[in-house]
Amino acid sequence: MATYQGRCFCGAVEFNVSGEPAAMGYCHCESCRTWSAGPVNAFTLWKPEALKITKGSTNVGKYNKTPRSGRQWCKTCGGHLFTEHPQWNLVDVYAAVIPTFPYKAGVHVNYQETRLPMKDGLPKMKDLPAEMGGSGVVLAE
Ligand SMILES: [Zn+2]
Ligand SMILES: [Zn+2]
């Protein structure tokens, strides 16, 4: 099983993920944009047991704006790391913090909220796939 090393911006927190993610893509929602201060969040969703924090676990902060998203970061550098999604039993490990992982987006989600339209040919979900509690509606590029 493949294992990919990750770390925060300063290196106080180190972790790895093993196996294959359940999904990969870009989230355009307002929560991701305002928390990350970026126009889009590149996500990789894993089963929680695929993620192991190997250094600095007590240095990880967590904020739940809603019960659906536990956003986590390094308390030293402020670098963003993960978002827990307990209702899906998945954790988002930001693609940016696992540089050796062969990230390949498969879908755009919450595209109705986009501030950075991307004409890349991938499906553009209005909100979320139906199996994840969304409408399942796909928008035109
Ligand atoms: Zn850090
Ligand atoms: Zn989002």
Side-chain angles (χ1 to χ4, degrees), residues 1-4 15-22 44-54 72 82-86 88-93:
M1 191 159 63
T3 296
Y4 306 96
F15 60 92
N16 61 61
V17 284
S18 298
E20 296 297 327
T44 70
L45 293 170
W46 305 74
K47 289 289 178 192
E49 54 270 25
L51 170 65
K52 293 203 172 23
I53 298 175
T54 53
Q72 298 178 50
F82 325 115
T83 298
E84 292 174 350
H85 295 296
W88 299 327
N89 194 35
L90 292 170
V91 58
D92 176 4
V93 178

Side-chain angles (χ1 to χ4, degrees), residues 24-58:
M24 294 184 258
Y26 297 108
C27 185
H28 296 255
C29 85
E30 192 209 5
S31 287
C32 283
R33 286 188 284 106
T34 54
W35 191 61
S36 69
V40 65
N41 170 35
F43 65 83
T44 70
L45 293 170
W46 305 74
K47 289 289 178 192
E49 54 270 25
L51 170 65
K52 293 203 172 23
I53 298 175
T54 53
K55 180 183 160 193
S57 61
T58 60

Side-chain angles (χ1 to χ4, degrees), residues 61-82:
K62 182 162 131 180
Y63 177 72
N64 285 72
K65 186 175 185 181
T66 74
R68 298 167 61 89
S69 294
R71 295 179 184 269
Q72 298 178 50
W73 67 92
C74 169
K75 292 180 189 172
T76 300
C77 67
H80 296 177
L81 296 167
F82 325 115

Side-chain angles (χ1 to χ4, degrees), residues 108 124-130 134-139:
H108 293 258
K124 308 291 187 307
M125 306 298 301
K126 178 180 182 222
D127 40 67
L128 293 171
S135 69
V137 172
V138 178
L139 301 175

